[in-house]
Amino acid sequence: MSLKGKIVFITGASSGIGAATSLAFAAEGARLLLAARRVEKLAEVAAQALERGATAVHSIRLDVRNHRSVQNTIDELPPEWADIEILINNAGLSRGLDKLYMGMIDDWDEMIDTNVKGLLYVTRAVVPGMVVRGRGHVVNLGSTAGELTYPNGAVYCASKAAERAINDGLRQDVLGTPVRVTSVDPGMVETDFSLVRFHGDGERAGKVYKGITPLTPEDVADVIVWAVSRPAHVNIARVLLTPVQQANSLLFHREP
Ligand code: NDP
Ligand code: 8X3
């Protein structure tokens, strides 16, 4: 299925997987609606996207945790941007790596508000239009963390287990419409993810990828573009992808 001229809404487009996915859709000639809180980073991605071949780009400052602002943003889109055809629910983060009984409540709130409630708010604002128009595809970013919980990561893992349940539930609830729903579930991808998790501690973040060739954000973007470009009657329910040196969220082979 050609993606040329299709309106793709990507949350968390300012960094990592979201930025790479924006550029991958740009190369297909899509029209990109990019959202994140850091608009200066979005502007850089937007410029690169136009160079790569995006038909048009519209950037929005958006915090997905704010329900009212998510709904208003979608309701007030310029008419030429209103008919979103592909939604990439990518905005997300981890905070902390602590025993559950020692965890920081603020970290928990931020993960659940972003990864679960934010994803729900965006979905609730965008999918009704897809159903009415009779076309659409939602791609949610899950994780290996959503299918196997690892020590000290219970709340992040729970947020991705919730994503998995929401992905499956949405697919059931749009049955009978042409809307498609896919979860893309990566293992370890080298992005700012670990830097954010450790509140800016670069040394600690670097150790996460030690002795491993991690996935790149482009590897994940590739899978997302593949899933949405299948023929209209094909729904890819879920794709789990890991580095070769990762078997699941607990088991790694690290080179010395
Ligand atoms: P990055 O930190 O590189 O990117 C995260 C993106 O999410 C940023 O663009 C950030 O934008 C955005 N974001 C965070 N909070 C909000 C918010 N409240 N409102 C709007 N945007 C927000 O990490 P990744 O690219 O790695 O993460 C992207 C997704 O992939 C996440 O859902 C993550 O859980 C998932 N994932 C990552 C894996 C990995 O190993 N890296 C593996 C599996 C899944 P800004 O700060 O500008 O708002
Ligand atoms: C991100 C991958 O293993 O760091 O979802 O949780 S992991």
Side-chain angles (χ1 to χ4, degrees):
M1 183 192 276
S2 168
L3 300 173
K4 192 156 183 58
K6 289 204 185 294
I7 300 181
V8 187
F9 179 30
I10 302 168
T11 67
S14 60
S15 171
I17 295 168
T21 302
S22 305
L23 299 184
F25 277 110
E28 301 293 325
R31 301 179 67 209
L32 304 179
L33 202 45
L34 307 181
R37 293 164 301 176
R38 289 171 298 170
V39 277
E40 63 292 345
K41 293 242 173 225
L42 276 186
E44 289 169 25
V45 176
Q48 288 176 41
L50 286 168
E51 275 171 28
R52 295 275 178 104
T55 299
V57 182
H58 184 64
S59 301
I60 311 162
R61 184 198 299 271
L62 183 66
D63 186 334
V64 297
R65 294 172 298 179
N66 184 329
H67 171 236
R68 205 160 289 281
S69 142
V70 168
Q71 190 64 54
N72 288 344
T73 298
I74 299 303
D75 290 347
E76 290 162 13
L77 281 172
E80 67 276 21
W81 287 98
D83 295 350
I84 295 166
E85 292 170 270
I86 297 165
L87 163 63
I88 312 295
N89 264 327
N90 164 77
L93 80 182
S94 65
R95 286 292 196 192
L97 195 62
D98 307 297
K99 289 188 185 296
L100 187 68
Y101 61 87
M102 304 288 278
M104 307 289 288
I105 303 288
D106 285 350
D107 286 349
W108 297 357
D109 284 343
E110 199 175 355
M111 288 186 277
I112 292 168
D113 288 350
T114 311
N115 302 357
V116 183
K117 293 168 73 180
L119 182 143
L120 285 169
Y121 297 156
V122 175
T123 302
R124 180 65 182 85
V126 172
V127 174
M130 291 179 168
V131 170
V132 167
R133 291 187 292 276
R135 61 177 190 282
H137 196 147
V138 180
V139 178
N140 296 306
L141 262 292
S143 171
T144 45
E147 60 167 36
L148 183 59
T149 303
Y150 51 80
N152 304 317
V155 177
Y156 176 72
C157 293
S159 77
K160 290 299 178 180
E163 176 279 338
R164 190 170 173 177
I166 293 163
N167 187 75
D168 288 346
L170 179 63
R171 203 173 49 255
Q172 293 170 28
D173 290 345
V174 295
L175 200 60
T177 80
V179 176
R180 301 188 288 175
V181 183
T182 301
S183 185
V184 172
D185 302 355
M188 192 180 278
V189 189
E190 190 161 14
T191 63
D192 285 348
F193 179 86
S194 294
L195 197 63
V196 171
R197 162 167 262 171
F198 299 128
H199 296 277
D201 181 343
E203 202 181 325
R204 195 168 173 203
K207 286 187 186 145
V208 171
Y209 310 107
K210 201 153 182 268
I212 286 192
T213 304
L215 296 173
T216 65
E218 290 75 21
D219 294 328
V220 183
D222 230 22
V223 169
I224 293 172
V225 169
W226 171 78
V228 301
S229 54
R230 294 312 84 211
H233 68 287
V234 178
N235 189 93
I236 305 295
R238 197 162 76 90
V239 180
L240 179 70
L241 67 154
T242 64
V244 172
Q245 290 166 288
Q246 177 178 15
N248 56 41
S249 65
L250 283 169
L251 192 58
F252 295 86
H253 172 77
R254 291 186 194 267
E255 294 297 333

